[in-house]
């Protein structure tokens, strides 16, 4: 019985790639240094999978930024502003597309389906010249082969690539991206031909958009594309991989009818209904890659349940045609449980990171082939039983409080217009008030102090003193820049979710459970293993300290319940919305304590609310109902004069704008600049928004410093569709990842732009 891994984490067990990338970007190391680190990581990954007994090992899943950008490079689809003139695309052009440079901005970045991973969105139009411009897929296949490992090269499928793209600036909105398919397929043919010549016998084409609600002409594009590729694919075994959700019946029918395709991969963890489609009608003689090991969470597999599923599938597809697989790439999980020193043995026994999931896939494959490891299966059953019965998991008081939420929609008693009037009387802000999103740059020294405090090498007194000095520096800088509503800069926080999870019950934390979010940015998601509550105040001390340093309003900074949920590894033994309501009640306690502590502006970030939207439209309403309700629970008890902000970033918001309005926040700050101001189009189309709103005026994920004229131009575009009395001026996101040498001039230009437009508006009266 064969085994397969869809993809694997790239960063390395100790984030080796992150540090190599940042060293290269800072000019401290060479391209050769970066490539060596990358090659060593790839070699270790292939060796690990091979030694575990994996038959179908992926290659070309290792990216320096993301796999969609790799595909853009492969196709030579570089926007003209980056000055690419042909030939093999180098790291300078590649990273300019991802991060921008001193003269031009980066391409748009957005979420990869409903995950916290991001990709760089291709910008396409009728004038794009496609050419085979990156031989990475072939080179990595050859690299693995030289190490004695025969891999399955992985490509983003051609139809998914186009459907995940956008029309470039200046291209008609009506432009059909699928009209580019013949040009794109010409390059895919070259790549596939080279892979065959290099000795590849299998190829994996990831077509995850097949799990979306696709119109008929988009499904027909798959049929046409694979018919066109059929002769080129001849002689290869071709796996088309899908993941993240059930595949709709029509898409399943299209997929299983594609020309030249040998095998189909399905997510059977998040796509349980797909099982019924497979059992009802699976094409004879084809391979089924059954994704029964969860690639998106860190809980140990239920071997008995998975084996039962696989045995049922064996009877449908045949013993020799069934391959045990992960549900999706393991990119979305932490790397290796072996590196964990913080977790106690009980919780550790409940978990499986990427390295352990490779073992799980192979253990299930061997069990199907009558080579069951009885000791491993017994240990698995014991761990699952331990988790079900552990008193650490259940808190009756929390469950009762969450159950009592039913029957109320938890709205504030007064409408937003009246609340804004009450808040203005208290805050006395100018029109176009300026603010930032929360975090300020995290210096090497700041990280060192925080790290040493956690390691008990620094006393609490010295730690508080260092944090107080940092907060004072941030407050003084904002006052010097003349920002209207201040933040304390969050020096005490390494991560916006981890910080809160460490102070809530029901959470566990890893030492090295890092997961890539984008580029070199890694996050360490908490593990929610039990019922959630707040034992004591979490942020009041720092916020009150910061407020005492200034007469200007100081925002209290919290992470919202939906974002904490979506950016954690969530327990899988109860519905997600029940866990979310528990978190909402904990944040509600914190909001009310901040208000009592004299904080009049409280920001409750819901950066990941859109990210959690299910991929199928039929499931949207239920998710949005409980997600929006969870946010309202957090602040339903505050006074009218307390201003509630929220923040959202890097997602497509237009399709959920009515739910955003229904959150009933007083002010929302929202990513806008990097997505070509698509957000503003919803207001041009007539949506009325009465609360405060701050569409981001510059992209903080690029080192580029925008001029005050550029920012003023953006603000004027906003004023064309939004009332001046509700518009705020702010960056796209927090400033943690930037340097002070970038932040100071960018914020100065932002404030100057706001003042310029204020004076123009005053003159026009």
């Amino acid at each position: 019985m064969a085994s397969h891994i869809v993809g694997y984490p790239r960063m390395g067990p100790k984030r080796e790639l992150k540090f190599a990338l940042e060293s290269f970007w800072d000019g401290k190391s060479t391209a050769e240094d970066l490539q060596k680190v990358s090659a060593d990581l790839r070699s270790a990954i292939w060796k690990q999978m091979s030694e575990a007994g994996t038959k179908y090992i992926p290659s070309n899943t290792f990216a320096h930024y993301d796999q969609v950008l790799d595909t853009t490079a492969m196709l030579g689809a570089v926007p003209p502003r980056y000055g690419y003139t042909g030939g093999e695309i180098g790291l300078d052009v590649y990273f300019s597309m991802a991060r921008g440079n001193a003269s031009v901005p980066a391409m748009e970045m957005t979420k990869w389906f409903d995950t916290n991973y991001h990709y760089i969105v291709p910008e396409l139009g009728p004038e794009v010249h496609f050419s085979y411009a990156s031989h990475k897929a072939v080179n990595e296949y050859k690299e693995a082969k030289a190490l004695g490992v025969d891999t399955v090269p992985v490509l983003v499928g051609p139809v998914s690539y186009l459907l995940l793209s956008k029309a470039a600036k200046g291209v008609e909105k009506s432009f059909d991206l699928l009209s580019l398919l013949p040009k794109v397929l010409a390059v895919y043919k070259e790549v596939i031909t080279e892979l065959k010549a290099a000795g590849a016998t299998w190829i994996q084409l990831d077509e995850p958009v097949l799990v979306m609600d696709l119109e008929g002409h988009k499904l027909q594009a798959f049929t046409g594309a694979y018919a066109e590729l059929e002769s080129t694919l001849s002689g290869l075994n071709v796996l088309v991989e899908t993941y993240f959700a059930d595949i709709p019946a029509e898409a399943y029918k299209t997929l299983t009818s594609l020309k030249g395709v040998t095998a189909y991969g399905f997510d059977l963890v998040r796509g349980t209904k797909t099982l019924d489609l497979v059992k009802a009608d699976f094409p004879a003689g084809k391979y089924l890659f059954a994704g029964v090991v969860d690639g998106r969470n860190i809980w140990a597999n239920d071997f008995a349940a998975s084996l039962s599923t696989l045995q049922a599938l064996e009877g449908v597809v045949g013993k020799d045609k069934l391959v045990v697989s992960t549900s999706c790439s393991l990119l979305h999980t932490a790397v290796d449980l072996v590196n964990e020193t913080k977790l106690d043995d009980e919780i550790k026994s409940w978990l499986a990171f990427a390295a352990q999931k490779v073992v799980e896939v192979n253990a299930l494959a061997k069990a199907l082939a009558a080579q069951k490891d009885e000791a491993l299966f017994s240990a698995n059953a014991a761990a699952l039983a331990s988790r079900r019965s552990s008193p650490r998991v259940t808190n009756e008081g929390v469950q009762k409080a969450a159950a009592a939420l039913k029957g109320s929609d938890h709205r504030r008693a007064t409408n937003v217009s009246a609340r804004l009037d009450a808040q203005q009387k208290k805050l006395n802000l100018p029109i176009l008030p300026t603010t930032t999103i929360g975090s300020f740059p995290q210096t090497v020294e700041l990280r060192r102090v925080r790290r040493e405090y956690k390691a008990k090498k620094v006393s609490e007194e010295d730690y508080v003193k260092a944090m107080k000095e940092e907060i004072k520096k941030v407050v003084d800088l904002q006052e010097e820049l003349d920002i209207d509503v201040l933040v304390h800069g969050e020096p005490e926080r390494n991560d916006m979710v981890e910080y809160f999870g460490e102070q809530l019950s029901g959470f566990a934390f890893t030492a090295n459970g890092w997961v890539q979010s984008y580029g070199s940015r890694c996050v360490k998601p908490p593990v929610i293993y039990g019922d959630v509550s707040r034992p004591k105040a979490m942020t009041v001390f720092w916020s009150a300290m910061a407020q005492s340093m200034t007469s200007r309003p100081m925002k209290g900074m919290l992470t919202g319940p939906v974002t904490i949920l979506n950016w954690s590894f969530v327990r899988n033994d109860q519905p997600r919305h029940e866990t979310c309501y528990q978190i909402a009640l904990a944040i509600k306690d914190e909001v009310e304590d901040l208000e009592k502590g004299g904080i009049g502006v409280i920001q409750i970030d819901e950066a990941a609310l859109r990210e959690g939207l299910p991929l199928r439209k039929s499931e949207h309403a239920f998710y949005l109902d409980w997600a929006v309700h969870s946010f309202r629970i957090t602040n339903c008890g505050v006074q009218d004069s307390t201003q509630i902000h929220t923040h959202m970033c890097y997602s497509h918001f237009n399709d959920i704008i009515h739910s955003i309005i229904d959150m009933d926040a007083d002010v929302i700050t929202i990513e806008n600049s990097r997505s070509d101001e698509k957000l503003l189009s919803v207001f041009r189309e007539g949506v009325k928004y009465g609360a405060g709103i701050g569409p981001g005026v510059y992209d903080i994920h690029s080192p580029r410093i925008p001029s005050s004229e550029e920012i003023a131009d953006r603000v004027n575009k906003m004023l064309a569709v939004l009332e001046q009395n509700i518009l705020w001026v702010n960056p796209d996101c927090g400033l943690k990842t930037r340097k002070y040498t970038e932040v100071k001039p960018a914020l100065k230009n932002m404030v100057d732009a706001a003042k310029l437009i204020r004076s123009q508006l005053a003159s026009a009266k």
Side-chain angles (χ1 to χ4, degrees):
M1 187 59 60
S3 54
H4 166 250
I5 305 297
V6 176
Y8 201 80
R10 307 162 184 147
M11 281 292 132
K14 295 181 180 175
R15 294 182 289 162
E16 292 89 341
L17 181 59
K18 169 190 171 66
F19 300 122
L21 283 167
E22 291 173 355
S23 176
F24 174 70
W25 292 337
D26 289 343
K28 296 175 182 174
S29 62
T30 65
E32 289 73 23
D33 295 329
L34 174 59
Q35 297 292 13
K36 184 181 185 309
V37 171
S38 304
D40 289 346
L41 287 169
R42 287 193 295 269
S43 172
I45 290 166
W46 292 326
K47 182 181 177 185
Q48 175 196 356
M49 288 195 227
S50 180
E51 289 178 349
T54 312
K55 181 172 181 181
Y56 301 110
I57 297 171
S59 61
N60 198 41
T61 61
F62 190 98
H64 281 136
Y65 216 86
D66 75 74
Q67 69 273 28
V68 179
L69 185 61
D70 281 1
T71 310
T72 295
M74 181 185 85
L75 295 168
V78 181
R81 65 182 177 275
Y82 300 108
Y84 169 67
T85 55
E88 190 79 4
I89 288 175
L91 292 178
D92 53 345
V93 172
Y94 181 89
F95 287 129
S96 289
M97 290 192 286
R99 307 178 72 238
N101 58 43
S103 56
V104 291
M107 294 165 71
E108 179 185 352
M109 180 169 70
T110 196
K111 295 290 173 75
W112 177 245
F113 293 83
D114 58 346
T115 74
N116 186 29
Y117 182 64
H118 301 68
Y119 73 97
I120 301 297
V121 183
E123 300 173 12
L124 305 178
E127 305 304 318
V128 174
H129 174 68
F130 293 98
S131 64
Y132 187 10
S134 170
H135 292 66
K136 177 177 173 290
V138 176
N139 292 341
E140 284 192 17
Y141 174 78
K142 289 178 177 177
E143 183 185 321
K145 197 171 183 183
L147 295 169
V149 182
D150 190 25
T151 60
V152 179
V154 179
L155 302 175
V156 174
V159 184
S160 286
Y161 175 79
L162 289 175
L163 292 178
L164 291 167
S165 302
K166 70 173 186 178
K169 218 169 193 176
V171 174
E172 289 292 326
K173 279 188 179 178
S174 58
F175 177 70
D176 181 9
L177 291 162
L178 290 172
S179 67
L180 298 172
L181 201 47
K183 294 178 182 178
V184 165
L185 291 175
V187 180
Y188 272 82
K189 287 178 183 178
E190 290 187 69
V191 179
I192 292 163
T193 300
E194 271 201 20
L195 286 168
K196 283 165 68 174
T201 56
W202 277 83
I203 186 172
Q204 177 179 318
L205 291 160
D206 283 4
E207 295 282 15
V209 298
L210 278 165
V211 304
M212 308 288 280
D213 298 304
L214 299 180
E215 302 96 322
H217 76 280
K218 291 179 181 176
L219 291 175
Q220 287 164 16
F222 283 94
T223 303
Y226 283 82
E228 178 65 25
L229 289 173
E230 184 180 11
S231 60
T232 309
L233 292 169
S234 177
L236 275 175
N237 288 296
V238 180
L239 163 64
V240 175
E241 185 69 52
T242 68
Y243 35 77
F244 297 151
D246 280 304
I247 185 166
E250 278 304 305
Y252 177 82
K253 190 175 174 183
T254 298
L255 171 59
T256 53
S257 304
L258 294 180
K259 303 281 188 184
V261 176
T262 319
Y264 316 104
F266 298 114
D267 182 337
L268 300 181
V269 176
R270 289 185 173 233
T272 50
K273 293 175 188 170
T274 302
L275 271 173
D276 297 331
L277 296 173
V278 171
K279 290 174 181 176
D281 184 22
F282 192 80
K286 303 290 186 180
Y287 288 84
L288 171 64
F289 282 59
V292 294
V293 172
D294 192 350
R296 284 185 59 174
N297 215 330
I298 42 68
W299 302 106
N301 187 266
D302 184 334
F303 278 173
S306 292
L307 193 56
S308 174
T309 297
L310 291 164
Q311 286 167 339
L313 289 170
E314 246 184 354
V316 176
V317 305
K319 202 175 187 75
D320 61 330
K321 299 295 182 186
L322 182 63
V323 178
V324 183
S325 184
T326 54
S327 65
C328 62
S329 172
L330 298 176
L331 173 71
H332 309 288
T333 65
V335 179
D336 195 342
L337 205 50
V338 169
N339 299 318
E340 287 314 315
T341 53
K342 288 175 71 173
L343 295 169
D344 63 65
D345 289 343
E346 182 182 37
I347 288 180
K348 211 169 174 179
S349 74
W350 302 343
L351 307 179
F353 291 179
Q356 288 68 48
K357 289 176 187 292
V358 170
V359 172
E360 289 181 336
V361 166
N362 284 287
L364 288 165
K366 287 172 185 171
L368 272 177
Q371 298 169 30
K372 185 177 179 184
D373 185 332
E374 294 293 351
L376 193 62
F377 270 66
S378 293
N380 176 262
L384 294 174
S386 153
R387 186 177 165 212
R388 280 192 295 267
S389 61
S390 175
R392 305 167 71 171
V393 172
T394 307
N395 181 323
E396 284 187 23
V398 170
Q399 292 190 351
K400 283 179 183 173
L405 293 170
K406 291 172 185 170
S408 169
D409 62 5
H410 296 91
R411 291 183 186 276
R412 291 170 77 178
T414 313
N415 68 41
V416 69
S417 177
R419 298 198 309 263
L420 288 173
D421 287 344
Q423 292 154 17
Q424 180 58 16
K425 283 176 188 169
K426 179 179 175 182
L427 300 172
N428 193 30
L429 297 172
I431 62 163
L432 307 182
T434 53
T435 190
T436 64
I437 304 305
S439 61
F440 265 65
Q442 302 241 327
T443 62
V444 172
E445 175 62 16
L446 179 59
R447 292 178 189 276
R448 181 193 66 76
V449 171
R450 206 168 49 222
R451 188 170 58 247
E452 291 186 355
Y453 175 62
K454 280 196 170 186
K456 297 186 166 52
K457 293 178 181 176
V458 170
S459 70
E460 183 168 4
E461 183 182 351
D462 287 343
Y463 171 73
V464 170
K465 182 185 175 194
M467 293 302 109
K468 185 174 183 179
E469 288 171 358
E470 185 68 21
I471 291 169
K472 183 76 168 79
K473 182 175 84 173
V474 169
V475 170
D476 288 350
L477 173 61
Q478 291 171 94
E479 289 195 324
E480 177 191 325
L481 292 168
D482 205 17
I483 291 172
D484 300 304
V485 176
L486 311 190
V487 298
H488 76 288
E490 305 175 13
E492 78 284 10
R493 307 178 195 182
N494 176 59
D495 177 88
M496 63 188 285
V497 172
E498 182 181 5
Y499 176 80
F500 290 97
E502 283 179 333
Q503 301 183 76
L504 295 168
S505 63
F507 282 73
F509 286 85
T510 63
N512 291 292
W514 298 100
V515 179
Q516 185 182 16
S517 179
Y518 60 86
S520 68
R521 169 81 170 137
C522 297
V523 293
K524 197 164 55 167
V527 178
I528 305 178
Y529 67 84
D531 291 333
V532 177
S533 62
R534 186 198 73 146
K536 61 181 182 181
M538 301 180 285
T539 65
V540 178
F541 174 78
W542 302 112
S543 292
M545 175 193 288
Q547 183 64 81
S548 72
M549 297 174 180
T550 180
S551 59
R552 300 185 185 211
M554 174 64 62
K555 282 197 279 193
M557 301 300 304
L558 304 175
T559 302
V562 185
T563 296
I564 291 176
L565 184 89
N566 285 336
W567 286 358
S568 298
F569 290 125
V570 183
R571 59 190 293 191
N572 59 359
D573 59 346
Q574 73 176 14
R576 286 173 71 87
H577 69 270
E578 291 183 14
T579 302
C580 198
Y581 285 150
Q582 293 178 359
I583 302 169
L585 287 170
I587 299 300
K588 180 177 186 286
D589 290 343
E590 186 71 13
V591 168
E592 290 169 6
D593 278 353
L594 279 168
E595 185 181 55
K596 287 173 194 166
I599 304 301
V601 182
I602 302 169
Q603 182 170 306
I604 307 165
D605 285 346
E606 282 297 12
L609 187 140
R610 173 61 175 79
E611 172 188 311
L613 191 70
L615 300 178
R616 304 290 291 283
K617 288 176 184 171
S618 60
E619 299 168 16
H620 286 189
F622 178 67
Y623 167 78
L624 289 169
D625 180 65
W626 63 256
V628 169
H629 187 190
S630 295
F631 176 82
R632 289 200 306 261
I633 288 167
T634 65
N635 60 85
C636 62
V638 300
Q639 298 170 19
D640 287 355
S641 58
T642 296
Q643 190 167 82
I644 298 296
H645 289 224
T646 191
H647 171 67
M648 294 182 176
C649 58
Y650 296 102
S651 282
H652 299 294
F653 301 110
N654 294 19
D655 55 348
I656 64 161
I657 191 66
H658 293 289
S659 294
I660 291 173
I661 293 169
D662 199 37
M663 291 169 73
D664 200 26
D666 297 311
V667 178
I668 180 167
T669 52
I670 198 161
E671 184 274 327
N672 173 65
S673 66
R674 191 156 177 174
S675 57
D676 290 336
E677 301 168 342
K678 280 186 293 201
L679 173 70
L680 300 186
S681 67
V682 79
F683 301 112
R684 291 189 194 103
E685 289 157 12
V687 170
K688 297 298 179 191
Y689 193 76
I693 183 166
V697 296
Y698 79 91
D699 174 22
I700 66 86
H701 288 293
S702 170
R704 182 173 168 273
I705 298 164
S707 67
S708 56
E709 291 80 10
E710 181 183 331
I711 294 174
D713 181 56
R714 286 189 184 278
V715 175
N716 278 320
K717 286 180 182 175
M718 296 170 192
L719 286 170
V721 292
L722 293 165
E723 297 293 330
Q724 65 185 48
N725 64 325
I726 65 168
L727 186 61
W728 285 64
V729 178
N730 48 262
D732 265 346
C733 208
L735 304 169
K736 176 166 61 175
T737 60
R738 299 268 56 89
K739 299 181 176 73
Y740 272 105
T741 52
E742 299 158 346
V743 165
K744 288 179 183 177
L747 290 180
K748 180 182 184 303
N749 291 348
M750 183 186 83
V751 174
D752 286 349
K755 288 180 175 178
L756 172 68
I757 295 176
R758 282 176 199 156
S759 65
Q760 290 172 348
L761 291 170
S763 300
K765 282 184 179 177

